[in-house]
Amino acid sequence: MAITIFKRSTREEKFWKWVIRHKNELEDFIRSDFKDYGIYNQLSAKAREYHPMLYPEMTIGENGETVLILSADGQKEGLRPVEVLFEAKPVIENWIVHKFRQAKDEISLNFEETEFPSSHILVIPEIDSTHRKVNAAVYIKNLNSNLIGSQALFFLYLDHILGEYNVISFVGTLEFLDWNIDQTPEEGISLLELRHLIEKDLISGI
């Protein structure tokens, strides 16, 4: 008598099978007016089911592709789960999948009702060569008028301009300070300049 052995799906396979099964709904969502977050909330739930530190983000690529970003939301504990799930990804037609938020030279972001350009942020960095980290004083215009929203938006800019993996791996202690609009912090640099500093002083020697 022949015995059929069924292969048990891995947790990674279960996640990607769900994504493929709901591919059209997810594509419709990212091209919608965002009045109904139902399918995206289901995607987020599936991601959290895989690992609590996994955060999916979706956008549209330069050539119209659906872009899925597997983010650890800046948490070191999420690095390995993101790596493992990314390595197990299948080919999905007209989709691009990234592990971690990707570094960009220019980007405009908002957080809930908080919005300002990245030019409203300056940092004064200090390289800690021993621990391969950069610590920094962070100046944000009008920080004190909206502390929580401004800090949350700063971390989004940090991930998207430096690249999330670089932030987790190389950014150390941060001190937040209000940037008085009438006085620019001496020796302050932009987040893009901070990325170039990290690439030069911390990453290039690896």
Side-chain angles (χ1 to χ4, degrees):
M1 179 179 64
I3 298 177
T4 302
I5 300 177
F6 294 97
K7 178 184 175 182
R8 178 178 295 180
S9 296
T10 65
R11 295 171 61 246
E12 291 77 26
E13 288 171 339
K14 288 179 180 179
F15 175 84
W16 289 117
K17 284 179 180 178
W18 185 92
V19 170
I20 291 172
R21 189 161 59 248
H22 296 277
K23 176 179 182 288
N24 292 338
E25 295 167 78
L26 291 166
E27 290 173 343
D28 290 343
F29 163 74
I30 201 58
R31 290 164 175 80
S32 71
D33 55 9
F34 301 111
K35 291 182 179 180
D36 183 2
Y37 274 77
I39 190 63
Y40 177 76
N41 290 338
Q42 291 181 49
L43 173 65
S44 297
K46 287 295 178 181
R48 303 291 199 286
E49 183 181 312
Y50 177 76
H51 193 277
M53 289 293 104
L54 185 66
Y55 295 81
E57 298 178 357
M58 296 188 69
T59 186
I60 300 174
E62 294 181 358
N63 298 314
E65 312 96 334
T66 297
V67 179
L68 173 62
I69 302 167
L70 302 176
S71 169
D73 199 35
Q75 303 300 312
K76 188 174 182 179
E77 297 83 354
L79 282 176
R80 182 59 182 163
V82 168
E83 294 274 10
V84 172
L85 188 60
F86 176 80
E87 291 302 322
K89 74 182 187 308
V91 175
I92 305 176
E93 184 180 359
N94 203 38
W95 276 48
I96 297 173
V97 180
H98 290 302
K99 56 179 178 181
F100 310 117
R101 294 163 179 157
Q102 303 295 293
K104 298 179 177 65
D105 289 355
E106 295 182 16
I107 190 169
S108 179
L109 299 170
N110 63 75
F111 175 78
E112 295 180 351
E113 296 184 0
T114 302
E115 185 172 3
F116 54 78
S118 63
S119 59
H120 283 201
I121 302 168
L122 285 180
V123 298
I124 300 178
E126 181 181 346
I127 297 292
D128 179 353
S129 300
T130 302
H131 299 96
R132 302 191 67 81
K133 295 284 186 180
V134 57
N135 305 316
V138 178
Y139 287 84
I140 303 176
K141 287 184 179 179
N142 300 316
L143 172 68
N144 293 336
S145 65
N146 182 11
L147 181 63
I148 294 176
S150 294
Q151 288 180 331
L153 183 53
F154 162 78
F155 281 111
L156 283 177
Y157 272 121
L158 195 66
D159 277 354
H160 284 284
I161 294 178
L162 270 65
E164 184 180 359
Y165 182 84
N166 288 342
V167 173
I168 296 173
S169 301
F170 300 109
V171 173
T173 303
L174 300 174
E175 178 187 7
F176 288 92
L177 300 164
D178 187 75
W179 177 358
N180 186 318
I181 196 167
D182 297 322
Q183 185 176 5
T184 299
E186 294 183 8
E187 301 179 0
I189 64 174
S190 69
L191 290 180
L192 181 57
E193 290 172 313
L194 178 63
R195 188 182 88 206
H196 293 160
L197 180 69
I198 290 174
E199 290 170 346
K200 174 179 175 291
D201 290 359
L202 297 179
I203 298 177
S204 62
I206 295 178

